[in-house]
Amino acid sequence: MDRELALEIVRVTEAAAVSSAQWLGRGKKIEADDAATTSMRTMFDSVHCRGTVVIGEGELDEAPMLYIGEEVGDGEGPEVDIAVDPLEGTNIVASGRANAVAVIAIGDRGTLLHAPDMYMEKIAVGPEAAGSVRLDDPIETTIDTIAKTNNKRVRDVTVIIQDRERHLKLIDRVRAKGARVKLFGDGDVGASIAAALPRTGIDLFLGTGGAPEGVISAAAIKALGGDMQARLVPSDAEEEERCIAMGITDTSKVLQLSDLVKGDDAIFAATGVSSGELLDGVRFLGGDLAETDSIVMRAKTRTVRYIRAHHHLDYKPHLLAEE
């Protein structure tokens, strides 16, 4: 992949973030998602690549754009797999809460897992603990391992877990072990990546969430030198069949980071819509000016860039929400 592609992709997440942020707190999640998707798809036309959406807004009959199998980019440049979530956190934006982001992951053609839209068990850690934890280890063992690799006392280890009923027993066990728990609502991409970033103070991400979000997160964690393991959790025979159709014949298999994102390269980009674990949200500064906060990283070089940008919206009419 061209190194310039990383910076081109940031423009795509910025466009989605600015458009959807205009719906923050207005109680209209569908409008927010449509705005993000439309702006992301429009901006993709200028990206120098031959991209195929492998994780997107749904199948062709479910989504008018950014559907699985859609070709995006300007038709030239490298052939790549593209995983997108134009607005991770539609409910977040509708209610005006934290942690909504626009995200994209890119890999060379054939390198991103074609994850079906279902639940996935996930564990993610930073570089210090890479290779030391296992998804099937008891949480008590994992916390001891994290404490050792991160040079912390157990009571200083912080585990981030989604605040859901399905995680109540897990939360109780972490607390009983003596570690710290940080709960989050929606948006597990930012939360899982936070476990691989040193400035967040989060040591471990654990829990069951969306499989597509897991693959997108894996691209970032690969770029950060962290580690991730996962396992698909189909809820019925139909979801089992979807896994098989996508080439995943053994849903009990623990997927390593190299299964989620093959090869030695991947690009991840995200722009904050509302402020959260990973990024600040879009700020409308008055007049036609908006400010965005983004992160972009590449696995091959382990480069991580934080980008703060100003956007003059009167020059970008596709970013403007309709009243």
Side-chain angles (χ1 to χ4, degrees), residues 96-124:
R97 292 181 286 116
N99 254 349
V101 291
V103 293
I104 295 175
I106 293 181
D108 290 317
R109 182 64 54 85
T111 58
L112 298 185
L113 180 73
H114 295 199
D117 189 8
M118 63 181 62
Y119 277 132
M120 174 185 272
E121 295 179 71
K122 295 175 265 189
I123 183 171

Short mmCIF file of all heavy atoms in Angstrom, two decimals, residues 96-124:
data_model
loop_
_atom_site.label_atom_id
_atom_site.label_comp_id
_atom_site.label_asym_id
_atom_site.label_seq_id
_atom_site.Cartn_x
_atom_site.Cartn_y
_atom_site.Cartn_z
N GLY A 96 -26.49 12.33 22.33
CA GLY A 96 -25.51 13.34 22.71
C GLY A 96 -24.48 12.87 23.72
O GLY A 96 -23.96 13.67 24.49
N ARG A 97 -24.15 11.57 23.69
CA ARG A 97 -23.18 11.03 24.65
C ARG A 97 -21.80 10.87 24.01
O ARG A 97 -21.59 11.19 22.86
CB ARG A 97 -23.70 9.70 25.19
CG ARG A 97 -24.93 9.86 26.07
CD ARG A 97 -25.44 8.54 26.64
NE ARG A 97 -26.11 7.74 25.63
CZ ARG A 97 -25.69 6.57 25.18
NH1 ARG A 97 -24.57 6.04 25.67
NH2 ARG A 97 -26.36 5.91 24.27
N ALA A 98 -20.86 10.35 24.82
CA ALA A 98 -19.46 10.29 24.42
C ALA A 98 -19.13 9.01 23.64
O ALA A 98 -19.84 8.02 23.71
CB ALA A 98 -18.57 10.36 25.66
N ASN A 99 -18.00 9.08 22.91
CA ASN A 99 -17.33 7.91 22.32
C ASN A 99 -17.79 7.53 20.92
O ASN A 99 -17.51 6.43 20.46
CB ASN A 99 -17.46 6.67 23.21
CG ASN A 99 -16.17 6.33 23.92
OD1 ASN A 99 -15.12 6.89 23.62
ND2 ASN A 99 -16.25 5.45 24.88
N ALA A 100 -18.47 8.41 20.19
CA ALA A 100 -18.82 8.12 18.81
C ALA A 100 -17.64 8.47 17.90
O ALA A 100 -16.99 9.51 18.08
CB ALA A 100 -20.05 8.90 18.38
N VAL A 101 -17.35 7.60 16.94
CA VAL A 101 -16.25 7.82 16.01
C VAL A 101 -16.64 7.37 14.61
O VAL A 101 -17.52 6.54 14.42
CB VAL A 101 -14.97 7.06 16.44
CG1 VAL A 101 -14.37 7.64 17.70
CG2 VAL A 101 -15.24 5.57 16.60
N ALA A 102 -15.94 7.92 13.62
CA ALA A 102 -15.99 7.43 12.24
C ALA A 102 -14.67 6.70 12.00
O ALA A 102 -13.60 7.27 12.24
CB ALA A 102 -16.14 8.59 11.27
N VAL A 103 -14.75 5.45 11.54
CA VAL A 103 -13.53 4.64 11.46
C VAL A 103 -13.42 3.89 10.13
O VAL A 103 -14.43 3.52 9.52
CB VAL A 103 -13.44 3.61 12.61
CG1 VAL A 103 -13.27 4.31 13.94
CG2 VAL A 103 -14.65 2.71 12.65
N ILE A 104 -12.17 3.66 9.72
CA ILE A 104 -11.85 2.88 8.53
C ILE A 104 -10.60 2.06 8.80
O ILE A 104 -9.65 2.54 9.44
CB ILE A 104 -11.58 3.79 7.31
CG1 ILE A 104 -12.84 4.56 6.89
CG2 ILE A 104 -11.07 2.98 6.12
CD1 ILE A 104 -12.58 5.55 5.78
N ALA A 105 -10.60 0.82 8.34
CA ALA A 105 -9.39 0.00 8.32
C ALA A 105 -9.16 -0.47 6.90
O ALA A 105 -10.11 -0.80 6.18
CB ALA A 105 -9.53 -1.20 9.25
N ILE A 106 -7.90 -0.49 6.49
CA ILE A 106 -7.54 -0.89 5.13
C ILE A 106 -6.41 -1.90 5.19
O ILE A 106 -5.46 -1.74 5.96
CB ILE A 106 -7.12 0.33 4.28
CG1 ILE A 106 -8.32 1.25 4.05
CG2 ILE A 106 -6.55 -0.09 2.95
CD1 ILE A 106 -8.00 2.45 3.21
N GLY A 107 -6.50 -2.93 4.38
CA GLY A 107 -5.42 -3.91 4.24
C GLY A 107 -5.25 -4.28 2.78
O GLY A 107 -6.15 -4.03 1.95
N ASP A 108 -4.11 -4.86 2.44
CA ASP A 108 -3.93 -5.36 1.08
C ASP A 108 -5.05 -6.35 0.75
O ASP A 108 -5.60 -7.01 1.64
CB ASP A 108 -2.57 -6.04 0.95
CG ASP A 108 -1.42 -5.03 1.01
OD1 ASP A 108 -1.54 -3.96 0.39
OD2 ASP A 108 -0.42 -5.31 1.69
N ARG A 109 -5.36 -6.49 -0.53
CA ARG A 109 -6.46 -7.34 -0.96
C ARG A 109 -6.32 -8.75 -0.37
O ARG A 109 -5.27 -9.38 -0.45
CB ARG A 109 -6.50 -7.40 -2.49
CG ARG A 109 -7.63 -8.21 -3.10
CD ARG A 109 -9.00 -7.60 -2.79
NE ARG A 109 -9.14 -6.21 -3.14
CZ ARG A 109 -9.49 -5.78 -4.37
NH1 ARG A 109 -9.69 -6.63 -5.35
NH2 ARG A 109 -9.63 -4.48 -4.58
N GLY A 110 -7.40 -9.21 0.30
CA GLY A 110 -7.42 -10.54 0.86
C GLY A 110 -6.87 -10.68 2.27
O GLY A 110 -6.76 -11.79 2.78
N THR A 111 -6.57 -9.55 2.93
CA THR A 111 -5.93 -9.64 4.25
C THR A 111 -6.87 -9.40 5.42
O THR A 111 -6.54 -9.77 6.55
CB THR A 111 -4.75 -8.65 4.36
OG1 THR A 111 -5.22 -7.31 4.13
CG2 THR A 111 -3.66 -8.98 3.35
N LEU A 112 -8.01 -8.77 5.22
CA LEU A 112 -8.94 -8.50 6.32
C LEU A 112 -9.98 -9.62 6.42
O LEU A 112 -10.57 -10.03 5.41
CB LEU A 112 -9.65 -7.16 6.13
CG LEU A 112 -8.79 -5.90 6.10
CD1 LEU A 112 -9.68 -4.66 6.03
CD2 LEU A 112 -7.86 -5.82 7.29
N LEU A 113 -10.20 -10.10 7.62
CA LEU A 113 -11.22 -11.13 7.84
C LEU A 113 -12.59 -10.59 7.45
O LEU A 113 -12.98 -9.50 7.86
CB LEU A 113 -11.23 -11.55 9.31
CG LEU A 113 -12.27 -12.63 9.69
CD1 LEU A 113 -11.83 -13.99 9.16
CD2 LEU A 113 -12.45 -12.68 11.21
N HIS A 114 -13.33 -11.36 6.67
CA HIS A 114 -14.68 -10.97 6.28
C HIS A 114 -15.63 -11.37 7.40
O HIS A 114 -16.33 -12.38 7.32
CB HIS A 114 -15.07 -11.64 4.96
CG HIS A 114 -14.24 -11.21 3.80
ND1 HIS A 114 -14.63 -11.38 2.50
CD2 HIS A 114 -13.02 -10.60 3.74
CE1 HIS A 114 -13.69 -10.92 1.69
NE2 HIS A 114 -12.71 -10.44 2.43
N ALA A 115 -15.67 -10.57 8.44
CA ALA A 115 -16.43 -10.93 9.64
C ALA A 115 -17.92 -10.66 9.44
O ALA A 115 -18.30 -9.55 9.06
CB ALA A 115 -15.93 -10.15 10.84
N PRO A 116 -18.76 -11.66 9.69
CA PRO A 116 -20.20 -11.44 9.60
C PRO A 116 -20.68 -10.57 10.76
O PRO A 116 -20.01 -10.44 11.79
CB PRO A 116 -20.78 -12.85 9.70
CG PRO A 116 -19.74 -13.65 10.40
CD PRO A 116 -18.42 -13.05 10.03
N ASP A 117 -21.85 -9.97 10.58
CA ASP A 117 -22.41 -9.07 11.58
C ASP A 117 -23.05 -9.89 12.71
O ASP A 117 -24.24 -10.22 12.66
CB ASP A 117 -23.44 -8.13 10.94
CG ASP A 117 -23.89 -7.04 11.89
OD1 ASP A 117 -23.30 -6.93 12.98
OD2 ASP A 117 -24.83 -6.31 11.55
N MET A 118 -22.24 -10.23 13.70
CA MET A 118 -22.69 -11.01 14.85
C MET A 118 -21.77 -10.70 16.01
O MET A 118 -20.85 -9.89 15.90
CB MET A 118 -22.69 -12.51 14.54
CG MET A 118 -21.33 -13.09 14.23
SD MET A 118 -21.38 -14.86 13.86
CE MET A 118 -22.40 -14.88 12.39
N TYR A 119 -22.02 -11.35 17.15
CA TYR A 119 -21.18 -11.13 18.32
C TYR A 119 -19.83 -11.82 18.18
O TYR A 119 -19.68 -12.82 17.48
CB TYR A 119 -21.87 -11.63 19.59
CG TYR A 119 -22.85 -10.65 20.18
CD1 TYR A 119 -24.13 -11.06 20.57
CD2 TYR A 119 -22.50 -9.32 20.38
CE1 TYR A 119 -25.03 -10.17 21.13
CE2 TYR A 119 -23.39 -8.43 20.94
CZ TYR A 119 -24.65 -8.85 21.32
OH TYR A 119 -25.53 -7.96 21.86
N MET A 120 -18.86 -11.26 18.89
CA MET A 120 -17.50 -11.81 18.92
C MET A 120 -16.91 -11.57 20.31
O MET A 120 -17.00 -10.46 20.85
CB MET A 120 -16.64 -11.11 17.86
CG MET A 120 -15.17 -11.46 17.88
SD MET A 120 -14.20 -10.48 16.68
CE MET A 120 -14.34 -11.50 15.21
N GLU A 121 -16.35 -12.63 20.91
CA GLU A 121 -15.58 -12.47 22.14
C GLU A 121 -14.24 -11.85 21.79
O GLU A 121 -13.61 -12.26 20.80
CB GLU A 121 -15.35 -13.82 22.81
CG GLU A 121 -16.56 -14.53 23.31
CD GLU A 121 -16.17 -15.87 23.90
OE1 GLU A 121 -15.56 -15.87 24.99
OE2 GLU A 121 -16.46 -16.90 23.27
N LYS A 122 -13.77 -10.91 22.62
CA LYS A 122 -12.53 -10.21 22.28
C LYS A 122 -11.69 -9.93 23.52
O LYS A 122 -12.24 -9.67 24.60
CB LYS A 122 -12.85 -8.88 21.59
CG LYS A 122 -13.53 -9.01 20.25
CD LYS A 122 -13.94 -7.66 19.67
CE LYS A 122 -15.37 -7.32 19.99
NZ LYS A 122 -15.86 -6.14 19.28
N ILE A 123 -10.37 -9.98 23.32
CA ILE A 123 -9.45 -9.52 24.33
C ILE A 123 -8.36 -8.72 23.61
O ILE A 123 -7.90 -9.13 22.53
CB ILE A 123 -8.83 -10.69 25.14
CG1 ILE A 123 -7.92 -10.16 26.25
CG2 ILE A 123 -8.08 -11.66 24.23
CD1 ILE A 123 -7.46 -11.26 27.21
N ALA A 124 -7.98 -7.57 24.16
CA ALA A 124 -6.97 -6.72 23.53
C ALA A 124 -6.06 -6.13 24.59
O ALA A 124 -6.52 -5.74 25.67
CB ALA A 124 -7.63 -5.61 22.71
#
